[in-house]
Amino acid sequence: KWQEVRDDCFAASSTTQTARTIDVIAVKEGWATFGADCLKAYYQADQTESVCVVPPPEYLEMRAQQGLSVDILWKLHRMIPGQRAAGAGWVQKVSRDLVNDGFERCPALPQFFFRRADRALIEVHMDDFHGCAETKVAEKVVARLREIFDIKATEVFCEGRYSHLRRDRLRVGNTTYLRGNPCHVDSLVELCGLQKSKSAATPSLPENDPGDDDPLLDDDEAAKYRRGTGIMLYVAADRWDVKRDT
């Protein structure tokens, strides 16, 4: 079933190319930024499929003690983690609620929502929101998001440090500094057994390229290569000096 072709699973989200858009606009306009993280997002989204589950044993036992039938199923009204259409279902809910609150969804980059009345901009990455607006407007937007969604407490930032999508942000004056989480580099060092190695100049020179004559990797080495490449692709968004190797 996991190989079936479906067109209802896509959910627009932030990308490496758009992840700094909010930061750039906030600095250019002199606006505040804000973030919000929804709690149990899938449970807030309406079910889009017919999904039934077996009730927990303690519930069936309770019904049996009451003399009621235990030959029952529960029909879900909310999405659940692991459901293939859950991500798309959640984004549909977010889009519907934000549009009802006056936002317009960008047709080209549908993870962005803009409200012309007060010039508030939000980028949605699944259950994470990152936005910017004038300070008073941002405070009102955050308060409204708390009313619409079940979200963790969030702050409006004009100065200071906060994190979004595992990237630290430091706002100082009219500048925003971004840094990827160093734990990814630590993971790569551990994966490759480089804890005691010395640093080398990067990027490396073309003559140091091993070429195409290296032997094929075994299964364990191939798995390590895939994991290491995935880490480097993430790190490359913040470190120009590793882009050549990715």
Side-chain angles (χ1 to χ4, degrees):
K1 185 176 177 62
W2 63 272
Q3 291 182 320
E4 65 183 352
V5 177
R6 300 182 58 168
D7 59 1
D8 60 343
C9 300
F10 173 76
S13 58
S14 180
T15 68
T16 302
Q17 291 74 30
T18 67
R20 294 176 173 82
T21 302
I22 296 295
D23 305 288
V24 172
I25 293 177
V27 169
K28 180 181 178 181
E29 299 290 342
W31 290 351
T33 53
F34 59 88
D37 183 11
C38 292
L39 296 170
K40 300 178 181 179
Y42 291 165
Y43 299 143
Q44 300 182 46
D46 294 333
Q47 184 61 250
T48 61
E49 301 178 299
S50 295
V51 179
C52 295
V53 298
V54 177
E58 55 270 25
Y59 179 79
L60 295 177
E61 182 180 353
M62 180 187 69
R63 288 183 61 89
Q65 293 173 355
Q66 296 174 350
L68 301 175
S69 173
V70 296
D71 186 20
I72 63 170
L73 295 173
W74 281 351
K75 184 175 182 180
L76 300 184
H77 294 283
R78 302 294 185 188
M79 292 289 188
I80 56 175
Q83 187 176 345
R84 293 185 66 187
W90 161 249
V91 172
Q92 289 175 13
K93 171 186 170 50
V94 171
S95 176
R96 181 171 60 252
D97 290 348
L98 289 180
V99 169
N100 288 340
D101 207 53
F103 284 86
E104 300 175 33
R105 190 176 189 182
C106 177
L109 297 170
Q111 69 270 31
F112 284 100
F113 294 83
F114 180 64
R115 189 162 60 190
R116 296 178 184 275
D118 53 16
R119 303 182 69 199
L121 178 65
I122 299 176
E123 183 181 28
V124 176
H125 182 86
M126 296 308 295
D127 57 351
D128 291 296
F129 297 167
H130 192 211
C132 63
E134 294 181 357
T135 304
K136 291 184 178 180
V137 173
E139 292 172 349
K140 292 180 180 179
V141 171
V142 168
R144 180 58 177 157
L145 289 176
R146 289 197 182 104
E147 295 176 358
I148 301 175
F149 307 104
D150 184 8
I151 64 175
K152 296 179 183 178
T154 184
E155 295 183 45
V156 174
F157 293 90
C158 296
E159 296 273 347
R161 186 187 306 273
Y162 70 102
S163 178
H164 174 66
L165 297 183
R166 299 185 179 181
R167 284 186 170 85
D168 294 330
R169 287 165 163 80
L170 176 62
R171 297 204 62 183
V172 180
N174 61 349
T175 303
T176 297
Y177 299 93
L178 279 78
R179 185 186 73 160
N181 195 320
C183 73
H184 299 293
V185 176
D186 295 338
S187 297
L188 186 61
V189 169
E190 181 180 356
L191 177 68
C192 299
L194 301 174
Q195 293 90 334
K196 297 182 179 180
S197 300
K198 296 181 179 179
S199 61
T202 56
S204 60
L205 299 176
E207 54 264 29
N208 295 332
D209 194 325
D212 299 326
D213 297 330
D214 282 0
L216 294 177
L217 302 178
D218 59 30
D219 290 345
D220 291 339
E221 291 173 329
K224 181 187 294 186
Y225 174 81
R226 287 194 298 270
R227 183 184 173 196
T229 301
I231 295 174
M232 291 187 70
L233 286 171
Y234 181 89
V235 173
D238 304 293
R239 293 285 300 271
W240 65 267
D241 52 345
V242 300
K243 289 184 183 294
R244 178 182 179 275
D245 296 311
T246 54

